[in-house]
mmCIF file of all heavy atoms in Angstrom:
data_model
loop_
_atom_site.group_PDB
_atom_site.id
_atom_site.type_symbol
_atom_site.label_atom_id
_atom_site.label_comp_id
_atom_site.label_asym_id
_atom_site.label_seq_id
_atom_site.Cartn_x
_atom_site.Cartn_y
_atom_site.Cartn_z
ATOM 1 N N PRO A 768 -36.906 -49.259 21.360
ATOM 2 C CA PRO A 768 -36.775 -48.334 22.500
ATOM 3 C C PRO A 768 -38.012 -48.267 23.377
ATOM 4 O O PRO A 768 -37.918 -47.968 24.556
ATOM 5 C CB PRO A 768 -36.491 -46.988 21.834
ATOM 6 C CG PRO A 768 -37.006 -47.110 20.449
ATOM 7 C CD PRO A 768 -36.921 -48.544 20.075
ATOM 8 N N PHE A 769 -39.197 -48.519 22.811
ATOM 9 C CA PHE A 769 -40.413 -48.412 23.614
ATOM 10 C C PHE A 769 -40.862 -49.810 24.038
ATOM 11 O O PHE A 769 -41.158 -50.643 23.186
ATOM 12 C CB PHE A 769 -41.535 -47.737 22.818
ATOM 13 C CG PHE A 769 -41.172 -46.359 22.360
ATOM 14 C CD1 PHE A 769 -40.763 -46.142 21.063
ATOM 15 C CD2 PHE A 769 -41.213 -45.282 23.237
ATOM 16 C CE1 PHE A 769 -40.403 -44.869 20.634
ATOM 17 C CE2 PHE A 769 -40.859 -44.004 22.822
ATOM 18 C CZ PHE A 769 -40.453 -43.805 21.519
ATOM 19 N N THR A 770 -40.885 -50.041 25.341
ATOM 20 C CA THR A 770 -41.288 -51.361 25.787
ATOM 21 C C THR A 770 -42.651 -51.332 26.472
ATOM 22 O O THR A 770 -42.834 -50.625 27.467
ATOM 23 C CB THR A 770 -40.229 -51.994 26.724
ATOM 24 O OG1 THR A 770 -40.819 -53.123 27.349
ATOM 25 C CG2 THR A 770 -39.743 -51.024 27.773
ATOM 26 N N HIS A 773 -43.243 -52.058 30.470
ATOM 27 C CA HIS A 773 -43.254 -51.058 31.547
ATOM 28 C C HIS A 773 -44.661 -50.626 31.940
ATOM 29 O O HIS A 773 -44.868 -50.133 33.035
ATOM 30 C CB HIS A 773 -42.459 -49.818 31.114
ATOM 31 C CG HIS A 773 -40.981 -50.022 31.138
ATOM 32 N ND1 HIS A 773 -40.086 -48.995 30.980
ATOM 33 C CD2 HIS A 773 -40.241 -51.132 31.316
ATOM 34 C CE1 HIS A 773 -38.859 -49.471 31.039
ATOM 35 N NE2 HIS A 773 -38.934 -50.773 31.234
ATOM 36 N N GLN A 797 -43.477 -42.766 30.446
ATOM 37 C CA GLN A 797 -42.623 -43.864 29.965
ATOM 38 C C GLN A 797 -42.198 -43.629 28.513
ATOM 39 O O GLN A 797 -41.023 -43.780 28.161
ATOM 40 C CB GLN A 797 -43.380 -45.202 30.056
ATOM 41 C CG GLN A 797 -43.752 -45.635 31.462
ATOM 42 C CD GLN A 797 -42.592 -46.232 32.224
ATOM 43 O OE1 GLN A 797 -41.574 -46.603 31.653
ATOM 44 N NE2 GLN A 797 -42.729 -46.315 33.530
ATOM 45 N N ILE A 800 -39.735 -40.628 28.044
ATOM 46 C CA ILE A 800 -38.353 -40.948 28.428
ATOM 47 C C ILE A 800 -37.675 -41.777 27.340
ATOM 48 O O ILE A 800 -36.497 -41.564 27.025
ATOM 49 C CB ILE A 800 -38.330 -41.679 29.786
ATOM 50 C CG1 ILE A 800 -38.739 -40.713 30.892
ATOM 51 C CG2 ILE A 800 -36.949 -42.256 30.069
ATOM 52 C CD1 ILE A 800 -38.948 -41.351 32.239
ATOM 53 N N ASP A 801 -38.410 -42.701 26.730
ATOM 54 C CA ASP A 801 -37.787 -43.540 25.713
ATOM 55 C C ASP A 801 -37.615 -42.839 24.373
ATOM 56 O O ASP A 801 -36.968 -43.388 23.472
ATOM 57 C CB ASP A 801 -38.561 -44.852 25.558
ATOM 58 C CG ASP A 801 -38.101 -45.873 26.593
ATOM 59 O OD1 ASP A 801 -36.966 -45.736 27.096
ATOM 60 O OD2 ASP A 801 -38.864 -46.788 26.918
ATOM 61 N N CYS A 802 -38.147 -41.620 24.250
ATOM 62 C CA CYS A 802 -37.832 -40.810 23.061
ATOM 63 C C CYS A 802 -36.328 -40.506 23.052
ATOM 64 O O CYS A 802 -35.724 -40.362 21.988
ATOM 65 C CB CYS A 802 -38.635 -39.516 23.052
ATOM 66 S SG CYS A 802 -40.366 -39.768 22.636
ATOM 67 N N GLU A 803 -35.755 -40.412 24.253
ATOM 68 C CA GLU A 803 -34.311 -40.193 24.351
ATOM 69 C C GLU A 803 -33.554 -41.360 23.714
ATOM 70 O O GLU A 803 -32.638 -41.155 22.899
ATOM 71 C CB GLU A 803 -33.910 -40.072 25.832
ATOM 72 C CG GLU A 803 -32.405 -39.969 26.035
ATOM 73 C CD GLU A 803 -32.031 -39.917 27.500
ATOM 74 O OE1 GLU A 803 -32.350 -40.883 28.237
ATOM 75 O OE2 GLU A 803 -31.425 -38.935 27.913
ATOM 76 N N THR A 804 -33.956 -42.570 24.060
ATOM 77 C CA THR A 804 -33.313 -43.765 23.511
ATOM 78 C C THR A 804 -33.476 -43.807 21.991
ATOM 79 O O THR A 804 -32.517 -44.092 21.265
ATOM 80 C CB THR A 804 -33.952 -45.031 24.130
ATOM 81 O OG1 THR A 804 -34.037 -44.854 25.532
ATOM 82 C CG2 THR A 804 -33.130 -46.271 23.821
ATOM 83 N N HIS A 816 -28.926 -44.528 26.704
ATOM 84 C CA HIS A 816 -29.664 -44.158 27.920
ATOM 85 C C HIS A 816 -28.873 -43.073 28.642
ATOM 86 O O HIS A 816 -27.799 -43.352 29.165
ATOM 87 C CB HIS A 816 -29.846 -45.374 28.835
ATOM 88 C CG HIS A 816 -30.632 -46.480 28.193
ATOM 89 N ND1 HIS A 816 -30.027 -47.574 27.608
ATOM 90 C CD2 HIS A 816 -31.968 -46.642 28.025
ATOM 91 C CE1 HIS A 816 -30.968 -48.366 27.114
ATOM 92 N NE2 HIS A 816 -32.150 -47.837 27.348
ATOM 93 N N LEU A 819 -32.377 -38.512 30.720
ATOM 94 C CA LEU A 819 -33.784 -38.819 31.023
ATOM 95 C C LEU A 819 -33.932 -40.180 31.700
ATOM 96 O O LEU A 819 -34.972 -40.478 32.279
ATOM 97 C CB LEU A 819 -34.647 -38.756 29.757
ATOM 98 C CG LEU A 819 -34.858 -37.364 29.156
ATOM 99 C CD1 LEU A 819 -35.834 -37.426 27.986
ATOM 100 C CD2 LEU A 819 -35.357 -36.373 30.199
ATOM 101 N N HIS A 820 -32.888 -41.013 31.620
ATOM 102 C CA HIS A 820 -32.932 -42.313 32.292
ATOM 103 C C HIS A 820 -32.284 -42.271 33.674
ATOM 104 O O HIS A 820 -31.978 -43.317 34.243
ATOM 105 C CB HIS A 820 -32.277 -43.384 31.416
ATOM 106 C CG HIS A 820 -33.188 -43.871 30.314
ATOM 107 N ND1 HIS A 820 -33.438 -43.127 29.181
ATOM 108 C CD2 HIS A 820 -33.946 -44.991 30.208
ATOM 109 C CE1 HIS A 820 -34.290 -43.793 28.415
ATOM 110 N NE2 HIS A 820 -34.613 -44.922 29.011
ATOM 111 N N HIS A 881 -39.062 -45.606 35.722
ATOM 112 C CA HIS A 881 -38.352 -45.945 34.482
ATOM 113 C C HIS A 881 -36.847 -46.227 34.678
ATOM 114 O O HIS A 881 -36.358 -47.250 34.188
ATOM 115 C CB HIS A 881 -38.584 -44.842 33.445
ATOM 116 C CG HIS A 881 -38.304 -45.279 32.046
ATOM 117 N ND1 HIS A 881 -39.289 -45.551 31.124
ATOM 118 C CD2 HIS A 881 -37.132 -45.521 31.414
ATOM 119 C CE1 HIS A 881 -38.724 -45.937 29.988
ATOM 120 N NE2 HIS A 881 -37.414 -45.909 30.136
ATOM 121 N N PRO A 882 -36.106 -45.360 35.382
ATOM 122 C CA PRO A 882 -34.679 -45.666 35.580
ATOM 123 C C PRO A 882 -34.472 -46.968 36.347
ATOM 124 O O PRO A 882 -33.489 -47.680 36.124
ATOM 125 C CB PRO A 882 -34.169 -44.473 36.410
ATOM 126 C CG PRO A 882 -35.142 -43.390 36.170
ATOM 127 C CD PRO A 882 -36.469 -44.062 35.963
ATOM 128 N N ASP A 885 -35.474 -49.921 33.680
ATOM 129 C CA ASP A 885 -34.446 -50.007 32.634
ATOM 130 C C ASP A 885 -33.075 -50.310 33.237
ATOM 131 O O ASP A 885 -32.249 -50.973 32.611
ATOM 132 C CB ASP A 885 -34.380 -48.692 31.845
ATOM 133 C CG ASP A 885 -35.214 -48.743 30.574
ATOM 134 O OD1 ASP A 885 -35.952 -49.735 30.395
ATOM 135 O OD2 ASP A 885 -35.133 -47.798 29.768
ATOM 136 N N HIS A 889 -30.305 -52.664 31.442
ATOM 137 C CA HIS A 889 -29.401 -51.958 30.526
ATOM 138 C C HIS A 889 -28.162 -51.450 31.273
ATOM 139 O O HIS A 889 -28.274 -50.616 32.182
ATOM 140 C CB HIS A 889 -30.116 -50.771 29.873
ATOM 141 C CG HIS A 889 -31.266 -51.179 29.004
ATOM 142 N ND1 HIS A 889 -31.101 -51.914 27.850
ATOM 143 C CD2 HIS A 889 -32.604 -50.965 29.126
ATOM 144 C CE1 HIS A 889 -32.288 -52.125 27.295
ATOM 145 N NE2 HIS A 889 -33.207 -51.562 28.058
ATOM 146 N N VAL A 892 -27.445 -47.519 31.783
ATOM 147 C CA VAL A 892 -28.314 -46.641 32.576
ATOM 148 C C VAL A 892 -27.562 -46.223 33.842
ATOM 149 O O VAL A 892 -26.968 -47.048 34.528
ATOM 150 C CB VAL A 892 -29.637 -47.360 32.961
ATOM 151 C CG1 VAL A 892 -30.437 -46.528 33.959
ATOM 152 C CG2 VAL A 892 -30.478 -47.625 31.715
HETATM 153 ZN ZN1 ZN B 2360 -36.062 -46.562 28.665
#
Side-chain angles (χ1 to χ4, degrees):
F769 301 101
T770 167
H773 285 190
Q797 296 282 344
I800 291 172
D801 275 338
C802 286
E803 175 183 60
T804 313
H816 299 98
L819 291 185
H820 281 76
H881 199 105
D885 265 8
H889 296 295
V892 171

